[in-house]
Amino acid sequence: MQIWHAGAFSSIVSKAVTAGSVAAPGPGAAETRGSAQVQALGSRAISISENDGQTSPRARFVARHGGVTAFLAPDGFAVLLAGAAGRRVHLAFTFEGASSDVRIEGLETQPGIESWLLGRDASAWRAAVPTFGRVRYHGVYPGVDVDVRDGGGSFEYDVVVGAGANLG
């Protein structure tokens, strides 16, 4: 199995915030660091939890880090960034031509848990929701998985290529 490190969300997000618009990152985007907001996030751990009713049912997992939230759905993931003056930036990442049978799994269970007390109806509250250090998209393409993880203070994704996978 081979792991290709594909990039860091914080780098892409910092470029979008600095530029004030959302554009596809150019070459070298993974090294770009331009936002004080994103840089400040590096001192806190990323929280990845299974969606147990705290957000849209389309998202299977939710990852949070400071003012950045990633929603992990079977066909890709979306990143929402809280910007200055209440402005929000939304980035969407999709797996073009991916299998319709992608399975998403939380890996590396973390010691912390989350509880969601939404609204006044106690039956809708969720307690002791487990948190993870990584989420794996199994079977995005034949022999190819994608991991979304905490990259030491930034959201990162890795493309995991199995032996014998046909990339082309």
Side-chain angles (χ1 to χ4, degrees):
M1 181 179 304
Q2 182 175 10
I3 297 178
W4 291 352
H5 172 68
F9 288 130
S10 65
S11 301
I12 295 167
V13 170
S14 69
K15 185 170 186 162
V17 171
T18 303
S21 63
V22 177
E31 293 80 32
T32 304
R33 304 271 184 208
S35 167
Q37 176 187 9
V38 173
Q39 288 176 349
L41 299 180
S43 62
R44 290 180 275 172
I46 293 173
S47 172
I48 303 173
S49 60
E50 193 163 3
N51 181 13
D52 194 19
Q54 68 267 34
T55 191
S56 166
R58 188 168 148 7
R60 288 281 321 282
F61 288 85
V62 181
R64 290 184 177 79
H65 190 54
V68 180
T69 303
F71 302 93
L72 311 176
D75 60 345
F77 43 91
V79 178
L80 182 62
L81 172 69
R87 230 177 51 193
R88 292 180 172 217
V89 176
H90 179 264
L91 304 168
F93 299 81
T94 57
F95 304 125
E96 297 232 356
S99 168
S100 60
D101 296 326
V102 173
R103 184 172 57 88
I104 305 173
E105 175 185 20
L107 302 173
E108 301 174 8
T109 301
Q110 300 297 297
I113 58 170
E114 295 181 351
S115 295
W116 299 94
L117 309 176
L118 303 173
R120 295 177 189 231
D121 179 7
S123 68
W125 296 354
R126 301 294 181 259
V129 177
T131 59
F132 303 93
R134 170 186 308 266
V135 170
R136 175 159 289 175
Y137 285 79
H138 293 277
V140 174
Y141 305 104
V144 178
D145 298 335
V146 174
D147 284 1
V148 176
R149 63 183 174 85
D150 180 347
S154 64
F155 290 106
E156 292 188 355
Y157 66 95
D158 297 320
V159 178
V160 182
V161 180
N166 181 356
L167 301 179

